Amino acid sequence: MISLFILLVMTLIGIASLNTSLLEEKMSSNTQLKTASFQDAEAAINFAIHEVEKPTDTNLKTAIDNAEDNVDGPMITPPNDNPINGEVELNYKEDRIPAGYSMDKYRSLLVEFTGTGRPPAPHDNGNIMTTNTQAGLRHAPKP
């Protein structure tokens, strides 16, 4: 009788341990996916910053034009051959006077890069998404 009672207690302890392990596995998986989506959002922002700095890029001009029309800025998405699973919205905020520059020749544009990242394809169920925002100044000649 005592051995059956001990066996019952050990079984209950085993079941409780199993439930705890499964919960911890789900929590660590969610943390891993959230981290991956955060990293994709950051990588997309870095990609967009490098795109905007190219002399042939028109996204900054589009963002300025859209701000004047009260429309959201352009979306910058890495190409399909790029492993980044995210996109960036570029919004123009305001002009600033750049330090050390002539006020009549140059202007500083305060822009905001809002990156959205998602976990890798097999795990992207639409529930996990990270949005990060970075602001930056871009110096440009006055038009």
Side-chain angles (χ1 to χ4, degrees):
M1 181 73 176
I2 293 177
S3 59
L4 286 177
F5 180 73
I6 292 174
L7 183 61
L8 177 66
V9 169
M10 294 296 285
T11 303
L12 292 176
I13 290 173
I15 291 173
S17 298
L18 181 64
N19 285 340
T20 302
S21 296
L22 290 174
L23 180 63
E24 288 177 357
E25 184 179 347
K26 288 179 184 178
M27 289 175 9
S28 66
S29 175
N30 284 341
T31 301
Q32 184 179 13
L33 293 175
K34 191 73 170 172
T35 301
S37 67
F38 174 81
Q39 291 171 349
D40 276 340
E42 286 292 313
I45 289 173
N46 287 336
F47 175 82
I49 289 171
H50 292 306
E51 284 295 304
V52 169
E53 290 175 351
K54 292 179 180 176
T56 57
D57 187 67
T58 60
N59 286 309
L60 191 55
K61 182 180 180 335
T62 304
I64 293 169
D65 294 343
N66 288 359
E68 292 170 357
D69 298 335
N70 290 327
V71 179
D72 288 339
M75 297 300 286
I76 302 171
T77 306
N80 289 337
D81 61 347
N82 197 312
I84 298 171
N85 189 17
E87 60 190 11
V88 175
E89 182 179 351
L90 176 64
N91 286 308
Y92 163 77
K93 294 300 182 185
E94 64 186 26
D95 276 13
R96 299 260 173 110
I97 298 172
Y101 288 95
S102 172
M103 288 175 43
D104 59 340
K105 292 184 180 180
Y106 290 94
R107 66 182 184 166
S108 284
L109 309 170
L110 179 61
V111 293
E112 186 176 84
F113 297 90
T114 304
T116 304
R118 288 175 224 62
H123 306 288
D124 187 8
N125 59 8
N127 294 333
I128 298 177
M129 185 171 62
T130 303
T131 302
N132 303 345
T133 302
Q134 291 182 15
L137 289 175
R138 299 288 170 253
H139 300 297
K142 282 191 173 178

